[in-house]
Amino acid sequence: MTTQQWQDIVKEKQAEAAARIPQAWRLPPEVTASISENASTNVLDVPRQSGLLSLRQLDITENYDATALLEQIHCGTLTSLEVAEAFCIRAAIAQQVTHCLTETFFDRALERAKELDDYFRSTGQVRGPLHGLPISLKDCFNVQGIPSTVGLTSFVAHGPVQTNSAVVQILLELGAVLYVKTNVPQGMLAGESHNYIFGRTLNPHRSNLSAGGSSGGEGALIAMRGSILGVGTDIAGSIRIPAISNGTFALRPSIDRIPYGGQTDSGRNGLSGIKSCAGPLATSVRDLGLFTKAVIERDPWQFDSSAIFSTWRTVPAKPKLRLGFVLEDPHFPVLPPVLNTLTCAVTALKAAGHEVIDLEIPSIRDATLLAFRMFAMDPASTPFTHINASGEPKIPALSTTILPNESMPYEYVPHTLESLYDLNAQREAFRERFREVMRQNQIDAIIMPGLQGTAPPHDSMGWVPYTVLANVLDYPAVVIPYRKANKADDAKYLRDVMYRRLYLPDEIEGAPCSVQVLGRTMREEELLRDAATIAAALVSTDDKDNS
């Protein structure tokens, strides 16, 4: 396959994708002409200003989280069809200003919504707890009859897939309406959602900033409210990085609690190591619970042999929390906006009556090195063979997390069975040391950063120590959006330390900030309870600051 051939394949696929957006849903060229990765455009208000959405459609897409929207559908105030149409239009608008989508199947979604409405009218019943709710999917989730290319030109030839991923089948049986798949990095290998088929996803807050990855299309779409509940995957932070970058909520669940099977992947099967997991991005903590509870209660093992059977537990309320606080690893100092955000968060939580104690934990740098050595243990480098198969070049972001480099001057380990044993032993020892810290301090959860900074300029996400920690530990983790970068207010948090990422206050002004909350393995119920309590304390303080 020649270089020209891969470019022709990409051109044809792009034309197909563009043609699937109805003419009536297209923005005029003067709206999109000035939006690019080199500009600093905020496009969050484009759907409202476009004139393409009616007042009722604006209300549907802007004024409800998924839980509240389901209440409106299930009591008959809203129909599944009008909800689906509103989100299809808004997703189409989001695509034109952020390049957040890969596959769109709007006609199929509208037909599905009509069928759900007919069922509701004839029976007075709903099909399931997610009846009528539009849910977006990361590109890797297989939907029967829809392609899954995961950002690889060589995968375009695979065409539509024949079966549904396990989580897709469950969502359909729960009554959801599936309508779009969202953009990813080339092979899902980076923290920047950029590939040559569907382009680079732009951050809707500032188009010069990364939307994160590898579930970056989900993060951007939900920030644009072209979706209010989407599903991503996470092996080093790929659900949480986009949530942090775009200002949404997210949950990285424990491995295999949400079924992962039946996806398209660029990696090689057979090495367990640090496994990826599936989980939700949303606009509220309670919607993270809505998704997780609904899927778990459907008994995922019936759809995926690797899924862990675990009933959803009702946990008692706990209004006052004992929280551990981790500011940073000295090897990866957090930038001023993150230090400001975490300082404000701790102050707010203490003011709300929660106990916050400083934790001394094992080295996050060591956990990061361990993780990326484990990720590289495929001697065939299978994802790169898929890239090379088409002749397309590697995206620039792939070069930022290769050992050794300036931030991590360490080598990979040999591709030997001896090395694999050693890495697994190191991981288990690290997990045990961390468990002992949690046990000795008797904490409910850990408050910590999610990234070293906010969303950075494109192709500079680099190492992600604060998200990959949860993957090494297999701890569930929640991202809560909180505050925004403000160069005037953040200036007092600038320190004389060796930052591993450039601090560019003018380029990130107004970018979302957040806190990350870690819980205990298989304890999503407690984590989501505590995250809701934490979010309420932060929102209350934020409201006072803005009044």
Side-chain angles (χ1 to χ4, degrees), residues 323-391:
L323 301 168
F325 175 59
V326 174
L327 172 62
E328 63 188 2
D329 185 289
H331 189 78
F332 292 105
V334 295
L335 296 179
V338 176
L339 181 54
N340 191 353
T341 296
L342 290 171
T343 301
C344 291
V346 169
T347 300
L349 289 166
K350 289 180 176 179
H354 304 293
E355 186 179 4
V356 183
I357 63 169
D358 292 335
L359 287 186
E360 291 187 13
I361 63 170
S363 167
I364 297 176
R365 180 202 60 186
D366 290 353
T368 305
L369 179 59
L370 171 63
F372 281 84
R373 281 174 168 169
M374 295 188 84
F375 297 152
M377 280 304 289
D378 172 13
S381 298
T382 301
F384 295 98
T385 66
H386 296 313
I387 296 174
N388 296 335
S390 70

Side-chain angles (χ1 to χ4, degrees), residues 70 74 126-132 173-175:
L70 282 169
H74 294 180
V126 295
R127 278 274 175 84
L130 303 182
H131 176 108
E173 295 191 9
L174 293 173

